[in-house]
Amino acid sequence: FSYLDIDETRGLIWNNEAAVFVAVDELDVRAYAEKIIALNEELSIQTNEAFMTFNAKTFDAGLFTDNKRLSGLNIETSALSLVGMGEGTSEFIVRFEQNEIVTEYSTSGDQSTPMMKKEGLPATELQMLGIKDPILFLGLNLDVKTLLSAASSDPAMAPNIEGITGSLGMTQAEMAELFTGTIVASVSDYQDIFKTDPRVQKETQSMMGPIEDAGEVGDFFKAMLSIEVPITTISMGITNEQKANNMLSMIGMKKQVGADGQEFWAAPGIELVVYAVVKSNHLVITNDYLCAEAIAKEGKLPGKLPADYASKVPNQPFSFWMDFDKSHMPPL
């Protein structure tokens, strides 16, 4: 075997069959690493039936965890039991395919407080952010009530939950009732958003005057306003549109009226370009004025996800998709 010292507690050891990263405390890291790589089959992970079932699946990279042992290591990792990782095992699988990465996540065992629902993302979530050829897509189907209840029972987390619900102007029960737990996020085309955002143009010129006449400052703003950024959109399922609108008003969002009279919300100022739309029982947050305008008018974005996307994530409460086609990326 070969061995690489990283520091006094960590090392990397490998032979023709495997490489093992070892981290220890109050042990001789090299001696322990040699012991690990020399284990016979009877003492190795090959005797773990759950791992061998996982290892027999088709994937390019995978992460397998024994949740009970992992959540019992110390105070920090014991918090994993709050999100359904206190028992059984978890599997995170990655497959590298043509122009994309596809992932799957699953857990097993007795989960008294699961973080995610068992069912996959509803079709309405995929349709809401139906951007054609997204660069990145992420979806979660969380169990909001159980998650909030578990977090509130933890003395270290309870103040954070109280702070969030207080700032939103609602009780924990109202928050659990409002959000369905489905969250999808999509990153698509890179655009010069500042040029397509009338609010930013108006506010910038009201502060600086006509950009063309502002000398060096004008040149600076011209450069800043020409930066291309990815259009990012996040959709969260809600049960009550009026309560969602009241929440946005409570946190200081301002009413915005689109070209066709449709209403949505804008964050005050221009430091952060953030828009929010309440439509079709969804709360959609985006950094693009035109996306907010389109969702406020149509209830969804134009276009659709790649036709083969949905078939790759049947009944998965966690979904991740990424496009590596260079022609879809911005010029450097």
Side-chain angles (χ1 to χ4, degrees), residues 100-143:
E100 64 190 20
I101 294 177
V102 179
T103 65
E104 296 178 12
Y105 171 79
S106 62
T107 60
S108 65
D110 180 17
Q111 301 174 62
S112 57
T113 55
M115 178 175 64
M116 288 184 282
K117 298 177 182 178
K118 293 182 179 180
E119 60 267 23
L121 294 171
T124 52
E125 301 296 338
L126 298 175
Q127 294 167 1
M128 173 61 70
L129 300 187
I131 303 170
K132 184 178 180 181
D133 296 328
I135 294 172
L136 174 70
F137 182 91
L138 176 68
L140 293 173
N141 198 355
L142 301 171
D143 189 325

Side-chain angles (χ1 to χ4, degrees), residues 174-306:
E174 290 172 332
M175 184 174 175
E177 194 65 33
L178 177 61
F179 292 99
T180 66
T182 55
I183 303 173
V184 296
S186 186
V187 176
S188 67
D189 301 338
Y190 279 68
Q191 290 187 14
D192 185 348
I193 290 179
F194 291 106
K195 288 184 178 178
T196 64
D197 189 330
R199 186 173 68 106
V200 172
Q201 292 178 337
K202 180 180 177 181
E203 291 295 324
T204 302
Q205 293 191 354
S206 68
M207 290 190 302
M208 303 297 302
I211 293 176
E212 291 77 8
D213 301 331
E216 292 182 2
V217 177
D219 292 337
F220 170 77
F221 269 93
K222 285 180 184 177
M224 185 184 76
L225 298 183
S226 66
I227 296 174
E228 292 185 340
V229 297
I231 296 176
T232 304
T233 314
I234 301 171
S235 173
M236 293 175 279
I238 56 173
T239 58
N240 188 306
E241 293 185 8
Q242 184 58 50
K243 285 186 177 180
N245 279 308
N246 292 341
M247 178 188 70
L248 293 173
S249 176
M250 177 74 66
I251 63 175
M253 298 286 277
K254 304 298 181 183
K255 274 285 180 69
Q256 189 80 13
V257 180
D260 295 328
Q262 61 274 17
E263 293 185 345
F264 49 96
W265 299 86
I270 63 170
E271 296 84 4
L272 293 175
V273 184
V274 178
Y275 298 97
V277 187
V278 177
K279 189 80 171 182
S280 305
N281 284 332
H282 290 81
L283 168 60
V284 182
I285 300 171
T286 179
N287 66 341
D288 181 39
Y289 183 94
L290 297 180
C291 276
E293 199 175 50
I295 292 174
K297 182 180 180 180
E298 304 293 341
K300 63 180 182 179
L301 291 176
K304 59 183 179 180
L305 287 169

Side-chain angles (χ1 to χ4, degrees), residues 2-108:
S2 300
Y3 184 83
L4 172 67
D5 283 303
I6 298 175
D7 57 29
E8 294 181 353
T9 63
R10 294 173 298 171
L12 182 67
I13 191 168
W14 68 94
N15 57 23
N16 291 336
E17 296 181 346
V20 182
F21 170 75
V22 178
V24 298
D25 187 19
E26 299 180 354
L27 290 173
D28 183 319
V29 62
R30 181 162 185 162
Y32 188 78
E34 292 180 19
K35 177 181 177 182
I36 292 295
I37 206 164
L39 279 178
N40 59 41
E41 185 174 341
E42 288 72 24
L43 297 175
S44 77
I45 198 170
Q46 294 183 63
T47 60
N48 186 315
E49 293 184 5
F51 172 79
M52 295 307 289
T53 299
F54 157 78
N55 197 49
K57 296 180 179 180
T58 301
F59 56 84
D60 296 298
L63 175 66
F64 175 89
T65 62
D66 181 329
N67 294 335
K68 186 172 184 178
R69 299 195 67 180
L70 183 64
S71 63
L73 287 178
N74 54 42
I75 295 175
E76 287 77 16
T77 53
S78 64
L80 294 173
S81 62
L82 296 176
V83 292
M85 291 182 65
E87 298 289 341
T89 62
S90 289
E91 300 177 3
F92 189 83
I93 287 174
V94 181
R95 297 195 309 274
F96 298 96
E97 300 185 2
Q98 184 68 30
N99 291 332
E100 64 190 20
I101 294 177
V102 179
T103 65
E104 296 178 12
Y105 171 79
S106 62
T107 60
S108 65

